[in-house]
Amino acid sequence: MSPVDGAGISNPNLPVDIAVTKGRVPGRSEEQIPELHEVDCPPELRERIEGLMARYPDRRSASIPALWAVQERYGWCTPDGIRQAAAVMRFTPADLESVASFYDLLHTDPVGTHRIEVCTNISCWMRGGDELLDAFVAAGEGADVHITGFECLGACDIAPMASIDQRYYGPLEAAEAATAIEQLNAGADVLPDKALAARPLAGDTPPPTGRNREPESRNRPIDGEVRGG
Amino acid sequence: MADPRETRVLLEHAEDPALRTIDGYRGYGGYATLEKAYREMEQDEVLKELEDSGLRGRGGAGFSMGKKASFLPRGEMAKYLCCNADESEPGAFKDRELMQRNPHQLIEGIAIAALAADAGHAFIFIRGEYAEQADILDAAVAEAYEAGYLGKDILGCRRDLELVVHRGAGAYICGEETALLDALEGKRGNPRLKPPFPAVQGLYGGPTLINNVETLSNVPKIVANGAEWFKGFGTEQSPGTKVVSISGGVRRPGNYEVELGIPTRELIFGLAGGPEPGHEIKAFYPGGSSSPVLTPAELDLPYSFEAMGEAGSMLGSGSIIVADDRVSIPHMALRTARFYHHESCGKCAPCREGTNWTVKMLERVVRGEATPMDLDIISSVQQNIIGHCLCVLGDSMAMPVSAMVNKFRDEFERVIAEAGMPIAIVQGAPEALGAAT
Amino acid sequence: MSAKEVTIVVDGREVSAVEGEMLHDAARKGDVEIPVFCYEPKLGEPVGACRMCLVEIEGIPKLQTSCSTPVRDGMVVHTRTEQVKHAQNAVVEFLLVNHPLDCPVCDKGGECPLQDITMGWGPGKSRVIDEKRHFQKPIELSPLVAIDRERCILCYRCVRFSQEVSEDSQLQLLDRGDRTFVGTFDDRPYVAPFHGNITDICPVGALTSYTYRFRARPWDIEQAGSVCTLCPSQCNVSFTVRDEKVKRVITRDNHDVDDGWLCDRGRYGFEMFEAEERIAGPRLKGGAEVEWDEAIAAAAAGLRAAGGEVAAIVGDASNEEGYLVGRLLREGLGSNDVDSRQSRGFSRAAVVRLAQPDLTIKVREIDDADVILVAGTDPLHSSPILDLRVRKAIRRNGARLVVATERPTALDGGAEAIARYAPGGATHFLSELAAAVGGAENVASPLAESLRGAEKVVVIWGERIAREGDGAATALLDLADACGVAGAEGAGLLEVPDVTNARGLREAGCLPDAGPGLGAELAGGRSTEQIRAGLISGEIKSLLLFGADPLRDFPDTPAWEEALTAADHIVCFSMHENATTAKADVVFPLETHAEKDGTVTHPDGRLQRVRPSASRPGIVQSNIVILSLLAETLDLSTGIDSQPTAFAALTEAVPFYSSITEEKIGGQGIRWQETEAASTIPTPDGGALSSEPTTSATGEGLALGTYRDLWAGPITELNPPLQFLTPQQRLEISPADAARLDLKQGDVVRVGQNGSSVEAHVLIKERMSEGTVFLAEGVQGGNANALLNGGPVWVEIQKLSGVDA
Ligand SMILES: Cc1cc2nc3c(=O)[nH]c(=O)nc-3n(C[C@H](O)[C@H](O)[C@H](O)COP(=O)(O)O)c2cc1C
Ligand code: SF4
Ligand code: FES
């Protein structure tokens, strides 16, 4: 038998596109990944993320650094920013949001321009970390600053302490909270003499001569951590 | 200047800010060991030196570093080295000091350890909060590349090593070695099942050596001076020096480098100045917040892996937190539990729910809404956690909380009974202690 | 790989196991049940998260998770010691710390692993008096699935499904610790073609289908096994039936067919059984419902009146139904004009060659393939479960994938090489590829590199390439040859046909040039396209359509419109009213796959049984009975009056089905290639296939390609829960072409060709080749079939309105 209309019409005269993609991510569903033209990624951000991916044997390793880059660009990991990073990295936005939401320093909700993390963990708590946090929260009222209590920041030697825009300061007095916020608002150097960087090694300092102040006696309610500011 | 009770090996010259730069570091003889190792030594020689030294991991578990390196299979496959700089356990801040003051020592240690592990790619996984230290490391790594100590064909010895400083983003669990690998692979930092152990199947599925910052910082000194020299410090089972972080109720908190085996009292009273005048020590964590608390009766124990283990606690990361007589132990237990509750990755049920439930119960205790029977439940829940989790984070809460409830049961009962009465829980005002700056 | 047998001791009993298998599975062989929540081997590597399965292993101080501990010879295991009981009690208690005890109102109640394990292994009392964690009570995870996060025990099965099985990576864990919850990016709905599976694997009542919530309780339902016939995957399903109505579709795990998964089409496509459009009894033109005898008489009269100038096209049908229609035409009406294809297909000679047992791969063998070539099909749209299979082979066993298609596929992300040829260019490309595998240097060389030298090559090809004629079969066979497929262990071809039972219908005799069993060549039979031409020219007067809807599904809608209008008489068997039934003189109702009794043949040759589970609506009768009554009225005595007699006649007529019995088919089906009678398949008659030269066409404008979208078709219109998936016609275009034509994403355009046109929204796709655009077939309003005419088509694009206008 032979077909009636136009036997074996084929269309070979358009070029064949070939893509060889060694180094693939097995099976990722391309359908779920936004395409670059849909996300409007600023070129600097795109280049930066591509540079980050190039540092690792597997591009996925760049997801935390890429999210840092998004956060730097937009102030927090905005859904649009995550989509942009996902399009550049070729992962689903959900992949990246899942990562971002795991880590305390990556914010998936809006936060202020400045960020202050006040340690309220054991050593800082013993030395007034809670009061310090309260002082910061009070001083930061209305300012463009995101203030949170935080778990141990690895600086118990300067307890009670806080990390202000990713730099450590301590030991801090409650009164210094307001100073720090004023300095932040004014764009000035924050508490220069309380910066960790300026501190000598413990054993190189003379024994303390300070007086001993009696602690305030009270029973603070400590359920419900103070989070956000 | 350094207190004579200190033995500064890793912190030698640390007071000199120039040490941070490659020139400063080289001025004190830095990178000579790397040159020697790359030019003159075989992988096995380096390995042997490390094994013989008896260097035990400084990240918490205290496993022999050389032995761990020797577990990596030989062969053509890509191998990796990860430096664990996640330091997030409450009370620990020694790695921060080492990276901040002497980054090149760490880089040199990594480069030599990479030789022992035959790794071509190394990573420093540093906690995201340590931005300052990460910046310092970035600068130092750039200098080391520039000087030819990292990169392709190091010193013309046909060996390559890429080193990347990878910043975390705030999750204590990433210090757990397999969670660190997942985080470094760009995923959520959940621990993996072991076996397979990272030495066999780690980063990107390849054999991976994971060591703590302090462990790796020891490497250049050991390879330069020999295992015997290293064993000259410390005790037989705990050779070497240790940077000890001391904080809490002491007059001079900070990092002190001492020989292991030094009496604990010497550390807390001699170096850190002891408690505030007029106060006494009530309890202390000898090895970070996950170590079961000890009481003043145990102050004279030598500060070593073995002595702390025998006392039912552990040396862990070597971080002492002192609680003086003003600290309410139930509140401290709650702080401790809250930390682990906040940091539990949530993957396994006993840790996720156990930390959460423990916090709720301890909150009831400090609010006075508990009965002594609840203390039994708290203890029993800790026993239900221990040994049942995927990694040891759950145990890390259960052990100290359990120790506190057992050793200070009276106080828990008193707090329950007297809830609402004023109890001092806040220790000292900062200016009383701030003279150090 | 020979698996080593080992012996382990579980609770004092010796159990033989396979070295390396997980202790949990090995223990089960010794009838020791170790409780699990997170463990589910279908989801890939164990995660050891729930800790429910802890056991004591001699020589290891800490308890170990049996779900993740591979057995070694001589392992001595205890699962009921005090230490283990302590751990089990502890874990159950922990899981209940946050789990609400709302079992009485929970849909999972009565079929809930958490309930069962709490009863069997829990401490029997609760010490938790603290507040549980709170989430908003059930919220929409998708329009089909509700999530109650308070009930979630964080076993991660659902997120592992999303990441490790369907690989859509949309469902994720968010936040950390006990704040962890299952969610999606930016709280967007979880829309992915397999997502309903998460309701099957959730061990608690956290994930439930809106279509089943509060519809029934486990004690007033029955489970009835059948086969889903909504696509060629033929997944095994179990219908949850209450009051003789289907309330739910769940999987009936068959590793040889579906691996225990279902696509959402099969899972949620059951409300159409009772749709308003469902035809509940026979009717005549204009909607007059009539009694059966009247309808049968009218149909017979019309068919007979054509005096042999009559044709039949079979679509959605069982083997027996197809066989009966074939006989009705050939023996009852004296016409060989029978086909079961929507467009041009291969000749009998090509069909016979491709049906040879040594060429066909068994579905489960895909798991172990070395290289998989997907050619001319996108399994996700045409046979969804195969998409999961291919992903699994890549992910678990490191299979390599190469893709050669017109249109970007869902599998591209996992491919190591991709070729995108022009619409209608399969023959050309596949023959180049065959040559390249054989050593030639040509355009296909980069793909050939992956195939060359590989041992277990699996070629998954789409029936669509048959539209190019027998040349495509030659190319395919040459390629199979070059890859050494024939007879090689674990290598072979698998067709993805256009309709569910394509293979069965061909083998049962629904081809113009071959009767049942692909027997000797028949002369003079017309194929689908020829039937259409015959109707238009008046050479064919009467048409019997059985489960086929040409106006929706077949290429060249205008021509079909003309053909159906020209026909004197049309008899149409259909499940639902549609544009085609509107043109029919007599309409008969069809049974659904929940009502029908019959066999179907999987593309890999597996005969499976569709079984009646639910009651038929209205006066619907068994299709077999109606067909045999029709035959009788046409004075054809078939001896068939029921499914058993039809099945017996079929297996007698198809020699290579002859050793198959209903018992052998059983619950899992049986491949005819694996029966004694397999050798009776006709061998290829020597000589080459028709080698009509492929004429290459050129044209003006952009080359049009079309594809069948998973959701384009009545399925979304007839099932209210699926309606949100109804696709909009979209013109898929490369960024370069879009820029050239000044088109933006979302613009509305008119795509025209030779007087016909459809409207579409512009969708720019980076993976599209320049010079080619795509439209979906079967879309309601804007069906791309309207533009097709049997050859390459070039279209013009006119912008109607811009997004920013
Ligand atoms: C929850 C948890 C947190 C940990 N955090 C750290 C850490 O911050 N830094 C570290 O070096 N080791 C940490 N460890 C120990 C590591 O898992 C690992 O044992 C260590 O990095 C190995 O290095 P080492 O042998 O040099 O000590 C942690 C372990 C656990 C279980
Ligand atoms: S013990 Fe805690 S941190 Fe470790 S895996 Fe389990 S949940 Fe995660
Ligand atoms: S089933 Fe083994 S840990 Fe969950």
Side-chain angles (χ1 to χ4, degrees), chain C residues 8 10 15 22-34:
Chain C
I8 61 170
V10 185
V15 177
M22 294 306 160
L23 181 50
H24 169 271
D25 303 331
R28 176 175 275 176
K29 292 182 183 163
D31 280 335
V32 174
E33 188 67 26
I34 302 171

Side-chain angles (χ1 to χ4, degrees), chain C residues 551-675:
Chain C
L551 292 180
R552 179 94 183 219
D553 297 331
F554 293 13
D556 208 344
T557 324
W560 274 107
E561 187 68 49
E562 194 185 344
L564 297 187
T565 311
D568 287 351
H569 184 256
I570 299 173
V571 178
C572 184
F573 284 78
S574 177
M575 226 174 278
H576 298 96
E577 296 288 5
N578 53 38
T580 301
T581 57
K583 292 207 168 275
D585 297 276
V586 185
V587 176
F588 288 119
L590 278 184
E591 295 162 290
T592 67
H593 58 288
E595 297 154 17
K596 179 183 295 198
D597 194 354
T599 64
V600 287
T601 306
H602 189 277
D604 82 349
R606 177 175 304 275
L607 269 77
Q608 306 201 83
R609 207 172 142 200
V610 182
R611 289 163 199 260
S613 321
S615 63
R616 306 185 190 96
I619 57 165
V620 174
Q621 290 276 336
S622 145
N623 303 329
I624 293 291
V625 170
I626 300 306
L627 283 172
S628 50
L629 288 174
L630 187 58
E632 227 166 76
T633 317
L634 290 167
D635 300 326
L636 170 66
S637 145
T638 55
I640 294 170
D641 57 3
S642 62
Q643 169 58 19
T645 45
F647 179 74
L650 170 78
T651 50
E652 199 186 312
V654 181
F656 48 94
Y657 285 2
S658 65
S659 41
I660 293 175
T661 59
E662 289 193 341
E663 291 72 56
K664 283 191 188 158
I665 292 176
Q668 305 276 297
I670 182 168
R671 292 181 71 226
W672 63 257
Q673 294 94 331
E674 286 159 24
T675 65

Side-chain angles (χ1 to χ4, degrees), chain B residues 362-379:
Chain B
L362 285 170
E363 280 173 352
R364 278 197 282 118
V365 167
V366 303
R367 281 201 308 266
E369 292 167 12
T371 64
M373 204 181 76
D374 285 304
L375 297 178
D376 297 333
I377 298 180
I378 294 175
S379 284

Side-chain angles (χ1 to χ4, degrees), chain C residues 35-39 47-54 65-68:
Chain C
V36 295
F37 287 111
C38 66
Y39 184 51
V47 288
C50 72
R51 320 300 292 172
M52 191 62 231
C53 66
L54 289 168
T65 44
S66 57
C67 69
S68 65

Side-chain angles (χ1 to χ4, degrees), chain C residues 489-535:
Chain C
E489 190 71 21
L493 309 182
L494 185 69
E495 177 185 357
V496 176
D498 286 342
V499 298
T500 301
N501 192 27
R503 177 164 198 146
L505 294 178
R506 279 178 230 151
E507 293 176 346
C510 296
L511 285 178
D513 49 356
L518 303 175
E521 176 122 16
L522 296 175
R526 289 187 176 88
S527 68
T528 298
E529 286 193 338
Q530 292 164 322
I531 292 171
R532 185 184 69 207
L535 285 165

Side-chain angles (χ1 to χ4, degrees), chain A residues 56 60-61 63 68 98 103-105 120 123 126-127 130 152 154 157 167 199 204 213 215 218 222-223, chain B residues 96 101 127 135 166 168-170 184-188 204 247-248 250 335 338 342 423 426-427 429 433:
Chain A
Y56 299 91
R60 180 167 196 160
S61 285
S63 57
W68 275 118
S98 166
Y103 297 100
D104 289 340
L105 293 177
T120 55
S123 297
M126 286 178 180
R127 293 176 163 241
D130 290 351
C152 183
D157 47 343
R167 290 290 179 267
R199 206 180 135 91
D204 294 339
R213 203 186 72 171
R218 64 206 168 97
I222 51 176
D223 46 331
Chain B
R96 188 202 76 212
R101 300 197 184 261
R127 66 181 296 190
D135 289 348
H166 184 94
L184 191 46
E185 287 180 7
K187 305 171 191 154
R188 294 160 63 84
Y204 311 126
S247 67
V250 290
R335 284 283 144 163
R338 270 197 185 154
H342 181 76
I423 296 171
V426 175
Q427 196 184 42
L433 306 142

Side-chain angles (χ1 to χ4, degrees), chain C residues 136-149 182-184 187-191 195 207-208 210 724:
Chain C
Q136 214 179 322
K137 268 302 192 181
I139 56 165
E140 261 195 30
L141 184 64
S142 78
L144 290 162
V145 174
I147 182 166
D148 183 332
R149 295 195 170 114
V182 168
T184 56
D187 285 334
R188 298 180 191 192
Y190 178 24
V191 179
H195 90 305
L207 294 168
T208 46
Y210 281 113
F724 76 101

Side-chain angles (χ1 to χ4, degrees), chain B residues 173 190-191 343-348 351-352 389-394:
Chain B
I173 188 61
N190 288 318
E343 298 296 343
S344 165
C345 81
K347 182 170 179 178
C348 75
C351 169
R352 179 183 69 235
C389 299
L390 180 61
C391 78
V392 293
L393 188 144

